[in-house]
Amino acid sequence: MNQDYIIPNDWSIIEEGFNPKTVKSSESLFSIGNGAMGQRANFEENYSGETFQGSYIGGVYYPDKTRVGWWKNGYPEYFAKVLNAPNWIGIKVTINDENLDLNQCKSVSKFKRELNMKEGWLSRSFEAELQNGIKIKVDTKRFLSLELDEVGAINYNVTPLNANATITYSPYIDAGITNEDTNWDDQFWDVLEVHQNNQQSFIEARTMKTHFYTCTFMQSRLFVNDNEVLTDCNNSKTDKTASCSYTQNIKKNQTYSIHKFGGYVVDRNHNKNELVSVAKDILDKAVSFGFNALLEMQKQSWAQIWNMSDITIKGDVKAQQGIRFNIFQLNQTYLGTDATLNIGPKGFTGEKYGGSTYWDTEAYCIPFYMATKDQSVARKLLEYRYNHLEKAIENAAKLGFTNGAALYPMVTMNGEECHNEWEITFEEIHRNGAIAFAIFNYHRFTNDYSYIPEKGLEVLIGIARFWHQRVNFSTDKNKYVMLGVTGPNEYENNVNNNWYTNYIAKWCIEYALENIEIVKTDHISDYIRIKEKVAFTDDELMGWKKVADNMYFPYSEEHNVFLQQDGFLDKELITVADLDKSQRPINQKWSWDRILRSPYIKQADVLQGFYFFENDFSTEELERHFDFYEPFTVHESSLSPCVHSIQAAKLDRMEQAYTFYLRTSRLDLDDYNHEVEEGLHITSMAGTWMSIVEGFGGMRVLNNTLSFAPKIPKGWQTYSFKVNFRNQIITVNVSQNGSVFEIDGNEEINILVNGKLITVSPNNLVTV
């Protein structure tokens, strides 16, 4: 049974009624972020019920020592953990000396929480009766500023409803926090100093081992009925906390408000010896703007983001809410302003997966950022991997590879591998292919070739060297084979000749060879520099080509399909439709041994290859493989429904495409995988965008031309989206009657619609 307490709304995520059982889920769903930091939707006031406290700073991590039962050569020393950062949002609230705690109140009513995605803020309101009989009304609003991305702001209001009351606000910052997922229950933070100066408080702390220096800060302003009250604060501190107290006698129906400003400065961006003075300057700026002016800036910043990235859907509120939620969370996680950051699968919403970079970025996220932002943002994501190339070569060397072969990590914060399950770390090597594919995809979409001679070719050479060394020559098959791998379907480990892995390896080698020739011809100085640096020879390149030309691909003559790997047909081929529903999800109900022997597929595997390389296969071949593999797919990865939605749309199976779309867009809102309290599935949200733009909209780049083949689910009246294609903004509006195309700016563009070339001119709608 999926959850269904989120109220459908075009622009907001809304929860009504206080339910302690959904607090942790809501903390994930109502998370906020600004690309530089983020936080779960924890209450500002104290809460003694079940909660998952979480505040996170982009790029700050801790190397938690690997914990395994049996150490194997090549294991990474540590798993990089995104750290639960010092908490700056806390405000202890006491009314007539009783602490406000929703878990302890006599009653809570009119509870409402809203995440306003259009304007980028989170609000909460409720009425409560405390044990001492005082009834109060509480309204809060908070946001993390996009304009000043080291600052967050809170407006917290309390109104006594049945009597006068003495209300004390004690805003605090607290560095005595821990992570929920720690291997050895380590302390991750050293608190260096706690300072208080009048209304301002600062905690300097650094991470252990990685030595990131941070300063958490806060300052508050107080109001009664919107009139500022200048009052002294009663400062207090411990070795890990700083607090200020403000007490006021408030009449019945008067409103006592605190505006709290807080956040983090980090030595990733500032001199570590000047963090307190930097924090003071930032606080002075934020406080002088004030909460309301900062909120107005926030609304304007989000209006600009939505102007380019919004997708509108008419006639289906749940679908509309789903896509906007996905787009909103992607923009909260990564805005492309810092080339050293990337997109973690949980973003700033939880600790699972370490908050690190996976192949999801290249396979799923780059298309979203290419089409909805300036192309420099996608280029930064490519540069992130170039900057980690030396570490990728080190990762490969630890596994015995030589000569500059590069294996990009499955999970990383700084380029080092930090994933420690052997069947993934050593075997899920197809991730290398996604890095190369992203370079190809970027060039195909933007037509910017400059990245390849400047940086990308070195990456492609390192990856080609890895694949060349990773294969074996089978005298039995007279082909090159790939043994002991895990494909995208992680429900099979240590298999031989995973078709997708073999196919992408062959493609990577051919793509590297092709680009060596282009750079040699058109960018000779880069070619000479790269050849000197990485020292490849003609003999080496011939060896690569030999592997690519003679790669083995398992195939079933009986079913007329490529086999997911050797031995796939040895499994007991019972489809998901014939699997008892009580056994689902199998990853929570079955032993790992049973899963590995089953035919069940976690996410697109062979079909991932058909998605990436669709021009290599006919629609009939896609249909045959879709019909063979989808019935065995349990879609227990968040990355699964989007690829299947795109392919179902291509096959004109719109009902199925829509079902997959709804599942990917509402994966977290409806908690399909029963795990949303751990955090959101950020990277798969880019797949939701792809489901509409590439699936229903049919967007491709064919022969250097932007192409569309629009279709529309039968329940929708219209949908529309924009893409930034080579610095030209095209708006696509699809209805049940046809499609309308529009171009911003002064230049016309030729596009393909259903295979036919049309010209779209400025100020001229083209209807197809």
Side-chain angles (χ1 to χ4, degrees):
M1 181 69 183
N2 300 329
Q3 70 183 21
D4 62 352
Y5 70 91
I6 299 300
I7 292 167
N9 182 284
D10 282 352
W11 274 111
S12 288
I13 307 303
I14 296 169
E15 169 188 16
E16 289 182 348
F18 178 60
N19 180 357
K21 289 180 181 165
T22 59
V23 164
K24 285 166 82 172
S25 294
S26 291
E27 285 170 346
S28 295
L29 292 171
F30 291 82
S31 293
I32 55 175
N34 65 1
M37 62 175 169
Q39 59 192 211
R40 291 170 61 80
N42 307 116
F43 299 157
E44 292 87 356
E45 75 277 1
N46 295 1
Y47 182 66
S48 59
E50 272 200 50
T51 178
F52 173 4
Q53 171 73 45
S55 298
Y56 310 101
I57 307 169
V60 173
Y61 67 94
Y62 174 87
D64 203 6
K65 185 169 169 47
T66 295
R67 186 169 196 160
V68 292
W70 188 262
W71 193 268
K72 295 177 177 64
N73 284 342
Y75 259 144
E77 295 289 320
Y78 67 88
F79 191 94
K81 292 283 167 70
V82 61
L83 286 193
N84 200 344
N87 173 17
W88 71 262
I89 68 166
I91 304 172
K92 187 177 179 185
V93 182
T94 57
I95 294 129
N96 289 357
D97 295 327
E98 185 179 327
N99 181 31
L100 172 60
D101 175 350
L102 289 185
N103 199 45
Q104 304 291 335
C105 289
K106 270 189 190 173
S107 66
V108 179
S109 61
K110 299 185 182 175
F111 182 94
K112 181 181 178 184
R113 193 175 344 211
E114 177 181 2
L115 180 63
N116 185 302
M117 301 181 287
K118 190 174 191 177
E119 299 180 348
W121 49 260
L122 167 66
S123 72
R124 186 167 51 102
S125 58
F126 59 87
E127 291 183 10
E129 183 179 358
L130 279 61
Q131 296 295 339
N132 62 16
I134 292 283
K135 292 181 179 173
I136 56 167
K137 180 179 168 208
V138 174
D139 283 291
T140 75
K141 186 172 280 184
R142 77 176 187 245
F143 59 91
L144 297 180
S145 174
L146 295 183
E147 188 73 23
L148 307 176
D149 68 5
E150 292 160 313
V151 173
I154 299 169
N155 177 7
Y156 197 103
N157 305 286
V158 176
T159 308
L161 297 176
N162 64 341
N164 300 343
T166 302
I167 300 176
T168 301
Y169 285 129
S170 303
Y172 62 88
I173 46 180
D174 177 10
I177 38 79
T178 55
N179 263 45
E180 287 215 348
D181 71 333
T182 160
N183 289 340
W184 302 91
D185 295 325
D186 286 4
Q187 288 298 307
F188 294 156
W189 291 94
D190 263 331
V191 179
L192 304 175
E193 204 161 342
V194 180
H195 313 263
Q196 289 189 292
N197 176 17
N198 242 342
Q199 307 279 343
Q200 297 182 334
S201 298
F202 309 92
I203 299 179
E204 292 185 89
R206 75 170 177 202
T207 58
M208 297 182 183
K209 296 188 186 176
T210 38
H211 289 175
F212 290 104
Y213 284 76
T214 66
C215 176
T216 307
F217 54 82
M218 74 167 182
Q219 182 173 344
S220 302
R221 292 169 70 182
L222 285 298
F223 301 82
V224 176
N225 284 357
D226 295 331
N227 297 313
E228 187 159 13
V229 180
L230 299 173
T231 177
D232 290 334
C233 61
N234 184 8
N235 283 332
S236 63
K237 64 181 184 176
T238 69
D239 57 353
K240 291 183 178 176
T241 66
S243 175
C244 315
S245 290
Y246 305 90
T247 300
Q248 202 75 29
N249 293 318
I250 301 297
K251 293 192 171 110
K252 176 180 160 183
N253 294 325
Q254 275 191 330
T255 298
Y256 187 32
S257 308
I258 180 169
H259 291 180
K260 180 179 181 181
F261 305 89
Y264 311 103
V265 289
V266 192
D267 70 340
R268 293 178 70 255
N269 307 312
H270 306 284
N271 183 319
K272 72 181 181 188
N273 299 313
E274 296 171 4
L275 293 181
V276 173
S277 64
V278 169
K280 280 181 176 172
D281 290 345
I282 286 167
L283 269 177
D284 289 344
K285 197 171 184 180
V287 171
S288 68
F289 276 127
F291 182 89
N292 294 329
L294 280 173
L295 182 60
E296 282 309 307
M297 291 181 213
Q298 183 80 345
K299 292 174 183 177
Q300 287 164 21
S301 297
W302 273 104
Q304 284 182 316
I305 290 172
W306 284 116
N307 181 48
M308 187 58 225
S309 62
D310 191 22
I311 292 180
T312 67
I313 297 170
K314 287 195 178 147
D316 188 341
V317 177
K318 281 198 157 189
Q320 176 69 85
Q321 184 181 40
I323 188 61
R324 282 191 174 134
F325 181 65
N326 286 232
I327 293 168
F328 179 69
Q329 293 295 353
L330 283 162
N331 279 294
Q332 289 203 124
T333 303
Y334 183 80
L335 287 162
T337 49
D338 184 343
T340 64
L341 294 179
N342 208 282
I343 305 134
K346 293 278 177 220
F348 296 119
T349 72
E351 296 165 13
K352 198 176 174 187
Y353 306 129
S356 315
T357 307
Y358 280 59
W359 69 291
D360 307 15
T361 291
E362 283 73 24
Y364 297 89
C365 297
I366 276 183
F368 169 80
Y369 289 101
M370 277 195 306
T372 66
K373 308 239 177 268
D374 182 276
Q375 69 186 45
S376 66
V377 171
R379 188 174 168 127
K380 279 195 181 89
L381 290 170
L382 299 186
E383 286 170 358
Y384 176 90
R385 294 296 193 176
Y386 174 76
N387 294 337
H388 289 170
L389 177 57
E390 288 308 311
K391 292 279 191 196
I393 292 168
E394 280 177 34
N395 294 334
K398 287 176 187 173
L399 303 187
F401 295 86
T402 59
N403 189 35
L407 176 59
Y408 277 90
M410 187 67 189
V411 177
T412 193
M413 291 296 280
N414 67 349
E416 287 179 281
E417 177 64 79
C418 62
H419 191 288
N420 46 38
E421 293 170 352
W422 65 269
E423 66 275 17
I424 306 295
T425 310
F426 305 152
E427 298 195 337
E428 197 164 338
I429 51 177
H430 68 78
R431 61 197 187 240
N432 245 14
I435 314 294
F437 184 81
I439 295 171
F440 161 77
N441 204 11
Y442 173 81
H443 173 232
R444 173 174 66 175
F445 191 83
T446 65
N447 209 29
D448 170 21
Y449 191 77
S450 67
Y451 175 76
I452 293 176
E454 286 171 24
K455 298 177 176 177
L457 187 57
E458 291 174 54
V459 172
L460 296 174
I461 288 168
I463 288 171
R465 283 173 162 167
F466 173 81
W467 291 124
H468 176 237
Q469 293 176 38
R470 184 59 175 76
V471 295
N472 298 0
F473 185 73
S474 163
T475 50
D476 176 57
K477 292 183 170 64
N478 199 29
K479 291 277 184 187
Y480 287 95
V481 296
M482 193 101 61
L483 307 179
V485 303
T486 297
N489 173 29
E490 292 169 337
Y491 288 178
E492 294 170 311
N493 306 144
N494 206 29
V495 301
N496 294 336
N497 296 308
N498 170 256
W499 179 83
Y500 172 75
T501 305
N502 288 19
Y503 198 89
I504 207 164
K506 169 187 167 75
W507 177 86
C508 285
I509 291 170
E510 290 171 345
Y511 187 59
L513 290 169
E514 177 191 326
N515 283 284
I516 287 170
E517 286 305 309
I518 293 170
V519 173
K520 184 178 180 181
T521 306
D522 299 342
H523 305 270
I524 188 66
S525 61
D526 286 302
Y527 177 81
I528 292 164
R529 171 182 58 79
I530 293 165
K531 188 161 188 187
E532 267 180 34
K533 185 175 175 183
V534 304
F536 60 83
T537 64
D538 289 345
D539 282 351
E540 182 185 4
L541 302 188
M542 283 171 64
W544 295 2
K545 187 171 187 314
K546 192 175 171 189
V547 168
D549 288 346
N550 294 284
M551 189 71 81
Y552 169 71
F553 298 108
Y555 191 81
S556 165
E557 298 291 347
E558 179 193 351
H559 298 283
N560 207 9
V561 294
F562 291 109
L563 287 178
Q564 195 159 277
Q565 73 274 333
D566 288 347
F568 185 79
L569 294 180
D570 295 335
K571 294 170 177 276
E572 196 177 353
L573 297 176
I574 299 168
T575 64
V576 176
D578 293 323
L579 184 63
D580 187 335
K581 282 195 172 71
S582 69
Q583 301 294 297
R584 305 280 307 278
I586 62 170
N587 64 14
Q588 293 172 27
K589 301 291 178 69
W590 284 10
S591 70
W592 197 241
D593 167 70
R594 188 176 178 191
I595 288 172
L596 293 178
R597 290 185 287 108
S598 80
Y600 300 121
I601 301 170
K602 184 182 178 190
Q603 67 190 74
D605 193 306
V606 172
L607 295 177
Q608 182 73 36
F610 273 73
Y611 167 65
F612 272 173
F613 306 111
E614 70 173 8
N615 294 341
D616 296 357
F617 305 100
S618 68
T619 306
E620 291 72 29
E621 285 175 297
L622 170 62
E623 186 164 36
R624 208 158 55 237
H625 285 78
F626 190 91
D627 287 343
F628 184 76
Y629 285 110
E630 197 285 323
F632 297 114
T633 307
V634 286
H635 303 290
E636 287 173 13
S637 161
S638 63
L639 299 172
S640 189
C642 59
V643 173
H644 288 86
S645 179
I646 293 164
Q647 291 173 329
K650 183 173 179 175
L651 295 172
D652 271 331
R653 300 177 183 182
M654 287 303 288
E655 202 166 318
Q656 202 174 13
Y658 173 74
T659 301
F660 284 131
Y661 161 75
L662 210 57
R663 173 153 185 169
T664 183
S665 72
R666 297 192 65 87
L667 179 76
D668 292 317
L669 290 175
D670 296 340
D671 198 11
Y672 276 96
N673 290 353
H674 307 294
E675 59 182 12
V676 76
E677 63 181 41
E678 297 174 352
L680 305 176
H681 295 86
I682 301 296
T683 47
S684 74
M685 291 177 171
T688 306
W689 178 89
M690 287 168 14
S691 297
I692 291 185
V693 175
E694 297 181 8
F696 302 158
M699 186 184 82
R700 305 285 189 274
V701 179
L702 299 176
N703 303 323
N704 214 22
T705 304
L706 192 62
S707 170
F708 297 96
K711 294 164 182 166
I712 184 166
K714 67 179 179 193
W716 294 6
Q717 295 160 19
T718 64
Y719 68 95
S720 71
F721 58 87
K722 288 183 181 178
V723 291
N724 181 351
F725 181 69
R726 303 179 182 178
N727 300 315
Q728 287 186 280
I729 313 287
I730 295 103
T731 303
V732 182
N733 201 310
V734 183
S735 72
Q736 296 291 348
N737 301 321
S739 308
V740 178
F741 299 87
E742 191 178 355
I743 182 101
D744 282 5
N746 305 316
E747 291 179 38
E748 62 180 30
I749 186 170
N750 291 324
I751 62 172
L752 287 164
V753 181
N754 299 327
K756 203 172 152 191
L757 198 64
I758 64 167
T759 301
V760 186
S761 311
N763 308 314
N764 186 22
L765 298 177
V766 176
T767 305
V768 178

